[in-house]
């Protein structure tokens, strides 16, 4: 059984700063999606988006680093860490690292290699901007992972292996997403963006809603966390990360099911008591995941497996979307309540699944699966265990 636990969590979402506002928003079935007040792009036509209501202080740019830094700080605080210990590893997830030395004015060309503000909100986040003073004097090792929308879950799986191998005492997965014209165009060109708010698993769903925010997850051995009084009740018992599948821009039900089976096998578990699904609100993607979930439920004999998604509430946070998924799954296990999927009014018919439209009590639930899938065949699943 795995002894690698999640000792700290931090979030910035369209519900605001912190894990608690996000969790209360999920439990209330609320949606933070709406017309943009800040975001603008050539292809944006007024579709609902999930904007963070908190603006960093003037001059605290780029927002991408500010959101990640705020999540990183909350995760360290909840883990009871004033700073990172010697040998800690920080896994930054996102687009290619932003390495240009300075930011040029938003409207000016940058022939000297400096990045425009909009470009810097696409790249990164920049590790130096994320860590701030939270790294302390230890200068943690920083790695950058990019596995499309499965990046955060891939990074948690990698962090677990680093910790098991004794390569680090603590690992932090951190990243952020900011609404920007480049990623918006990439989703629009494959016709993934819905003209109405995302409604995962709904029979009338019409596409994704993009969101923004930051997330951070602190992982370490349970004994180390307990030694300073930190929570050590949620273990990463199983993980499966695969780059596979014949379709570059669509989920494949067989690969999704295989990934979930591998995570369950890694945890030596028969089945999850709850699933926090990837479920973005697209017709094809949600259908593929439901097919995979039905197959896995049938193999384990489950007859009413509860499945939720957060993307109808805050939108799709792309590379860091696994962080709010992990937070929701962990809190489901701690509270014994599965949140509803915001926007879900006409659930797809299922045989062995339950798609909650209101908070659902899960007495005795001990395991929760987290699914995260991305373009290019990036598929990842975790199995969390309440100890």
């Amino acid at each position: 059984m795995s002894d690698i636990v999640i000792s700290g969590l931090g979030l910035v979402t369209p519900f605001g700063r912190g894990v608690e506002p996000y969790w209360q928003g999920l439990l209330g079935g609320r949606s933070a999606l709406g017309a943009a007040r800040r975001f603008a792009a050539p292809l944006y036509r007024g579709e609902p988006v999930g904007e963070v209501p908190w603006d960093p202080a003037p001059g605290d740019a780029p927002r991408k680093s500010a959101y990640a830094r705020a999540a990183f700080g909350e995760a360290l605080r909840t883990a009871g860490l004033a700073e990172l210990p010697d040998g800690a590893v920080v896994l930054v997830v996102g687009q290619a690292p932003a390495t240009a030395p300075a930011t040029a004015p938003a409207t000016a060309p940058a022939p000297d290699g400096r990045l425009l503000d909009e470009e810097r909100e696409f790249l990164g986040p920049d590790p130096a901007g994320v860590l701030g003073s939270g790294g302390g004097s230890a200068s943690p090792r920083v790695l950058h992972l990019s596995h499309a929308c499965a990046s955060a879950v891939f990074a948690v799986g990698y962090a677990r292996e680093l910790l098991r191998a004794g390569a680090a005492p603590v690992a932090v997965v951190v990243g952020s997403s900011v609404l920007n014209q480049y990623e918006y165009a990439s989703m629009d060109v494959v016709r993934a963006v819905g003209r109405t708010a995302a409604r995962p698993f709904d029979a009338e769903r019409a596409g994704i809603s993009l969101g923004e925010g930051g997330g951070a997850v602190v992982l370490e051995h349970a004994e180390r966390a307990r030694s300073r009084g930190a929570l050590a009740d949620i273990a990463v018992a199983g993980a499966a990360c695969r780059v596979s599948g014949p379709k570059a821009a669509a989920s494949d039900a067989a690969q999704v099911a295989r990934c979930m089976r591998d995570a369950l096998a890694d945890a030596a578990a028969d089945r999850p008591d709850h699933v926090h699904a990837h479920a973005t609100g697209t017709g094809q993607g949600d259908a593929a995941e439901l097919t995979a979930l039905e197959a896995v439920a049938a193999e384990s004999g489950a007859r009413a497996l509860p499945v939720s998604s957060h993307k109808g509430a805050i939108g799709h946070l792309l590379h860091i979307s696994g962080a709010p998924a992990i937070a929701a799954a962990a809190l489901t296990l701690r509270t014994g309540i599965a949140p509803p999927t915001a926007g879900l009014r006409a659930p797809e018919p299922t045989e062995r699944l339950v798609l909650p439209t209101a908070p659902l009590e899960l007495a005795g639930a001990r395991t929760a699966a987290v699914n995260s899938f991305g373009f290019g065949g990036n598929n990842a699943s975790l199995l969390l265990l309440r100890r």
Side-chain angles (χ1 to χ4, degrees), residues 75-150:
L76 290 191
R77 288 192 301 274
T78 58
L81 291 168
E83 60 182 30
L84 291 176
D86 289 335
V89 172
V90 175
L91 296 157
V92 178
V93 300
Q95 292 286 4
T99 56
T103 302
T107 57
D112 57 357
R114 291 181 299 162
L115 294 173
L116 302 178
D117 286 339
E118 185 76 7
E119 293 171 329
R120 193 168 282 277
E121 297 296 21
F122 168 66
L123 298 172
D126 179 10
V130 171
L131 295 177
S133 60
S137 59
S139 298
R141 289 170 290 162
V142 176
L143 304 176
H144 191 101
L145 271 73
S146 188
H147 283 274
C149 298

Side-chain angles (χ1 to χ4, degrees), residues 11 36 39 48 52 153 171 173 185 205 207 218 232-233 270 273 333 379-380:
L11 290 176
F39 171 64
V52 169
V153 174
V173 174
R205 61 191 180 276
V218 179
D233 60 333
D270 295 328
D273 296 318
L333 293 178
N379 302 306

